[in-house]
Amino acid sequence: MLQAPTLTQGFRGLVYDNKTESMRTINILQRMNVYQEVFLSILYRSLPIQKYLEPVYFYIYTLFGLQAVYVMALYTTSWLLSGTWLSGLLAALWYVTNRIDTTRVEFTIPLRENWALPFFAIQIAAVTYFLRPNLQALSQRLALLAVFMSTFLFSLTWQFNQFLTLLQALALFTLESLDVLPAAKAMWLYGIQTACLVLVCILQFFNSMILGSLLISFNLSVVIARKLQKNLKSGALLARVGKLVLHSLVVLCLTLLLNGCVKKTLNLKSDEHIFKFLKAKFGFGATRDFDANLYLCEEAFGLLPFSTFQRLSDTLLFYAYVFVLLVTVTAAFVVAFQNLRGCGRQQQGKMEVHTVDLTPDTAYNLMHTIVFGLLALSTMRMKYLWTSHMCVFASFGVCSREVWGLLLKCVRLHSPRRVSPAPCPSSFDDLSCACHARSSAVVSQISVIRYAVPTLTLLYLSYKFWPGMMGELSELREFYDPDTVELMDWINSNTPRRAVFAGSMQLLAGVKLCTGRTLTNHPHYEDSSLRERTRAVYQIYAKRAPEDVHALLRSFGADYVILEDSVCFERRHRRGCRLRDLLDVANGHVMDGPGENDPDLKPAKHPRFCEEIKRNLPPYTTHFTRVFQNKTFHVYKLSGSK
């Protein structure tokens, strides 16, 4: 966009791009979530800053600034829940001191999640405000507008938005079914989620992955099921439970039916690799599928390591979080049971008030932290959704009147003799005065605790972590990889501009960025045809004949292939998870090295291509000529290439 003569030509170059994937013209705006970069390019060309600020720094500063918005959104959510700014301050400080586990922006800046999660945090704050009881009509409209804008921006900037909003919709459905959340407000949120996803689908030129989204099918199913089934919240306890179970089954069946019909009609396969991965991860049968195993073998998609909890405990965050979670979950069970029994929240005309209550905004954030906590525990890659909200939830709890009040009443630590009560109004009788004195004492104790605990925590965090953070800010670091730099310099100097390169996804992304050359494949794994290409190109690390590998690479227009010793002789993963092992199993070949193999796997007829090609034997030199080599990379030119 910056190098194009005009913005219009740049935009057209994105819509009709034939310089990224060989032998294809692709629509980048349809395939990838890059509207944010398009917007930044327009902003950069429009502002008078080009003489003072290079594009890369403009990009970096924008993303770092967006992280500041992220922290502000966490601050706001915690303040809304607790009613005190002290809670927001504690949430922000916890986020910063635990930044190793709350964000990846400091070492992988351009990630889509670094764009999306700040808008998701704003959406959570807006939903929290919208769910507050007794809002004025104008406040509700403004909150809904904020929810819509933040949901739309979140959905536009990250390809996995639909899966996260689906979890959010499931949380809303659970709360609404248990009568914790007003049905009308839940329906508004379902509608906004669906509308935003449809709008993003239009902007992304009807991206197939969005059209087949489970979120749209689920939200439509909830609306249809509600029309079909009425009076769900009437009757005795067992009758209501039975109705809710039936209602949930109807919604589930409708969701699967609608989604299946859409995918079959449109022949959608964009997200099938995700469901294969989930099926294998949660034990529904072993798989030899290359794509699923590629995810399963990555540490980021494994279980959350125990070291995470150790780091979170060092800042007291995990202890505070567990304490607040236990109290609020207990309250939630009691409230849900009361609602299923049909009990009102308060008995009008009586002195007695229910001792356990849970407001809709607190209940929503509780469901949010539980759902995303389970996701993080099962998949480490998703911990950043949980840990940031963990800061909000823990800080809210230690500053909450309701949490401390419930705890004090449960352990019977409150006593009217501990604190002098406020004077009894003259209109009260003796019984009312006694209740007033007791209530005043409890409120006074709670006020002391809810301000003392966060203040002491803030002082502890400042004393222990502030010097270290200041020291880290003063450090200057540099990325050093001379072999990769040498490779990129060689490509720029010795290959035609229109040359096509084959290799691993991660390396080719660097080739595109540093040299602008065309690629056979790259890391955008949400496209089914590109996944098939990647599996074919990766045969360079399998046990295949040189003529077969040559034919495959030439079918994609490759002129050069880059082999990496770090992949060919990989030791980072255990046996069975090395890339060469995944390829062998997918091809039906026995894996290398000592260890067991499935009985139906057969020895390969050919040696491993990436190893054998280095011996310069005639079958290989006929099709491939080595043109570059260093300690890490080997580049071969294909015969018949331009």
Side-chain angles (χ1 to χ4, degrees):
M1 289 292 290
L2 295 181
Q3 293 171 354
T6 65
L7 288 172
T8 303
Q9 288 176 283
F11 192 84
R12 182 176 177 81
L14 295 176
V15 176
Y16 302 100
D17 174 71
N18 57 7
K19 299 178 181 178
T20 299
E21 294 180 16
S22 60
M23 306 179 70
R24 279 185 187 165
T25 297
I26 64 172
N27 184 341
I28 290 179
L29 294 178
Q30 180 190 50
R31 289 267 299 275
M32 307 173 194
N33 297 69
V34 295
Y35 269 104
Q36 51 268 45
E37 278 84 5
V38 173
F39 171 75
L40 277 193
S41 65
I42 296 172
L43 193 61
Y44 183 79
R45 293 181 68 147
S46 304
L47 295 175
I49 59 174
Q50 300 177 28
K51 293 182 180 179
Y52 314 104
L53 193 62
E54 294 181 37
V56 63
Y57 289 111
F58 178 68
Y59 185 86
I60 291 170
Y61 295 159
T62 300
L63 266 166
F64 283 174
L66 198 58
Q67 294 303 301
V69 175
Y70 192 4
V71 176
M72 291 166 63
L74 300 178
Y75 180 102
T76 303
T77 305
S78 186
W79 191 348
L80 288 171
L81 288 170
S82 66
T84 172
W85 61 269
L86 196 61
S87 172
L89 183 60
L90 182 56
L93 188 56
W94 259 331
Y95 178 85
V96 174
T97 54
N98 292 282
R99 64 196 174 283
I100 293 176
D101 297 299
T102 56
T103 180
R104 296 199 291 172
V105 73
E106 65 179 284
F107 54 90
T108 45
I109 295 172
L111 286 175
R112 300 300 86 184
E113 72 184 45
N114 292 335
W115 283 100
L117 292 186
F119 297 117
F120 192 49
I122 295 172
Q123 188 233 40
I124 293 170
V127 170
T128 299
Y129 183 74
F130 174 67
L131 295 180
R132 299 180 87 176
N134 305 320
L135 274 186
Q136 298 294 326
L138 178 61
S139 298
Q140 283 201 20
R141 293 191 189 98
L142 292 175
L144 285 172
L145 178 62
V147 172
F148 176 83
M149 291 302 299
S150 55
T151 305
F152 168 70
L153 292 173
F154 167 67
S155 302
L156 189 66
T157 51
W158 199 11
Q159 68 270 30
F160 295 128
N161 67 83
Q162 55 180 290
F163 302 104
L164 303 184
T165 44
L166 174 63
L167 293 177
Q168 189 179 54
L170 288 170
L172 293 170
F173 175 75
T174 302
L175 292 174
E176 188 269 329
S177 298
L178 295 174
D179 207 21
V180 178
L181 197 70
K185 289 191 174 183
M187 296 304 289
W188 269 110
L189 296 175
Y190 293 142
I192 287 175
Q193 285 183 335
T194 306
C196 288
L197 206 57
V198 170
L199 184 56
V200 170
C201 181
I202 294 171
L203 285 175
Q204 289 194 266
F205 298 82
F206 299 95
N207 183 302
S208 61
M209 190 172 175
I210 300 176
L211 288 173
S213 167
L214 272 173
L215 174 68
I216 295 177
S217 301
F218 175 79
N219 286 350
L220 290 176
S221 299
V222 171
V223 175
I224 295 171
R226 179 163 291 281
K227 296 294 183 182
L228 295 176
Q229 295 176 286
K230 298 181 179 180
N231 300 321
L232 286 172
K233 299 176 183 178
S234 61
L237 175 62
L238 292 178
R240 290 194 64 178
V241 171
K243 289 179 181 179
L244 289 178
V245 171
L246 179 61
H247 180 63
S248 301
L249 289 174
V250 170
V251 171
L252 175 63
C253 293
L254 278 174
T255 300
L256 296 177
L257 179 63
L258 286 174
N259 193 253
C261 290
V262 171
K263 287 187 174 180
K264 189 171 184 179
T265 302
L266 301 178
N267 193 28
L268 302 180
K269 298 180 180 179
S270 299
D271 57 358
E272 64 177 5
H273 65 297
I274 297 175
F275 294 106
K276 288 179 182 177
F277 158 70
L278 292 174
K279 181 180 177 182
K281 181 177 179 63
F282 293 110
F284 295 102
T287 180
R288 290 183 180 176
D289 183 78
F290 176 78
D291 301 322
N293 284 325
L294 201 60
Y295 280 100
L296 286 170
C297 286
E298 282 299 322
E299 183 183 1
F301 292 92
L303 299 177
L304 189 65
F306 184 73
S307 59
T308 304
F309 302 107
Q310 292 177 321
R311 290 191 298 270
L312 296 174
S313 299
D314 288 341
T315 62
L316 305 181
L317 172 60
F318 187 65
Y319 299 129
Y321 176 77
V322 170
F323 158 69
V324 177
L325 189 65
L326 289 175
V327 175
T328 50
V329 165
T330 303
F333 275 115
V334 174
V335 169
F337 183 71
Q338 290 173 352
N339 291 344
L340 287 174
R341 289 180 57 200
C343 300
R345 289 182 179 272
Q346 292 187 349
Q347 298 179 13
Q348 299 294 331
K350 297 183 180 181
M351 289 298 300
E352 184 180 32
V353 179
H354 284 295
T355 58
V356 178
D357 195 10
L358 196 69
T359 57
D361 52 346
T362 301
Y364 165 72
N365 279 275
L366 174 62
M367 282 299 299
H368 177 97
T369 199
I370 291 174
V371 169
F372 287 99
L374 293 174
L375 181 63
L377 291 172
S378 64
T379 309
M380 187 183 73
R381 174 72 172 76
M382 295 298 173
K383 73 174 179 179
Y384 302 98
L385 292 163
W386 183 42
T387 50
S388 59
H389 193 265
M390 186 187 291
C391 301
V392 171
F393 200 73
S395 61
F396 138 72
V398 298
C399 297
S400 169
R401 291 187 181 91
E402 292 76 14
V403 170
W404 287 114
L406 181 60
L407 181 68
L408 290 177
K409 290 175 183 178
C410 288
V411 298
R412 302 180 182 275
L413 286 178
H414 62 279
S415 170
R417 291 171 297 187
R418 295 176 185 262
V419 181
S420 300
C424 178
S426 58
S427 59
F428 279 25
D429 56 22
D430 292 341
L431 178 60
S432 299
C433 280
C435 292
H436 173 72
R438 190 177 183 84
S439 175
S440 299
V442 173
V443 169
S444 299
Q445 293 176 44
I446 293 172
S447 298
V448 171
I449 295 173
R450 69 187 288 256
Y451 287 112
V453 171
T455 301
L456 292 173
T457 306
L458 284 168
L459 291 173
Y460 167 78
L461 293 175
S462 301
Y463 173 76
K464 185 173 181 179
F465 295 101
W466 187 261
M469 288 192 293
M470 292 299 100
E472 288 183 21
L473 286 174
S474 65
E475 291 182 7
L476 292 176
R477 300 185 182 185
E478 184 179 12
F479 179 73
Y480 183 69
D481 186 358
D483 289 351
T484 301
V485 172
E486 185 184 11
L487 171 67
M488 300 304 170
D489 287 340
W490 181 87
I491 292 174
N492 275 321
S493 304
N494 297 277
T495 63
R497 290 288 302 173
R498 298 182 66 84
V500 178
F501 280 80
S504 68
M505 294 184 290
Q506 291 78 6
L507 177 62
L508 291 185
V511 170
K512 175 66 179 176
L513 176 65
C514 298
T515 71
R517 301 304 192 264
T518 306
L519 317 173
T520 56
N521 56 303
H522 54 80
H524 189 253
Y525 225 56
E526 282 68 52
D527 181 78
S528 58
S529 60
L530 190 59
R531 290 198 298 272
E532 293 172 3
R533 267 198 181 204
T534 299
R535 286 195 295 271
V537 170
Y538 275 13
Q539 297 304 310
I540 60 178
Y541 296 110
K543 298 171 183 175
R544 299 291 296 268
E547 54 271 16
D548 293 342
V549 175
H550 181 270
L552 281 171
L553 296 179
R554 287 301 295 152
S555 69
F556 302 129
D559 300 308
Y560 298 87
V561 58
I562 308 174
L563 296 173
E564 302 169 69
D565 286 345
S566 59
V567 178
C568 188
F569 305 105
E570 180 186 0
R571 293 181 177 85
R572 184 169 65 94
H573 290 103
R574 68 183 187 278
R575 184 178 184 271
C577 269
R578 300 169 298 189
L579 179 62
R580 61 181 185 268
D581 296 337
L582 302 184
L583 291 165
D584 289 344
V585 171
N587 293 339
H589 297 155
V590 172
M591 293 184 289
D592 292 339
E596 296 183 358
N597 289 280
D598 291 340
D600 60 327
L601 295 178
K602 307 296 182 184
K605 297 180 180 179
H606 303 279
R608 193 168 304 282
F609 177 83
C610 63
E611 296 177 3
E612 199 70 10
I613 192 174
K614 296 172 186 175
R615 299 176 59 190
N616 292 322
L617 298 176
Y620 294 86
T621 55
T622 303
H623 300 289
F624 302 92
T625 304
R626 183 159 53 197
V627 291
F628 174 83
Q629 176 184 0
N630 63 20
K631 291 184 296 182
T632 306
F633 304 105
H634 303 262
V635 182
Y636 293 86
K637 186 175 182 178
L638 279 68
S639 62
S641 60
K642 55 183 178 294

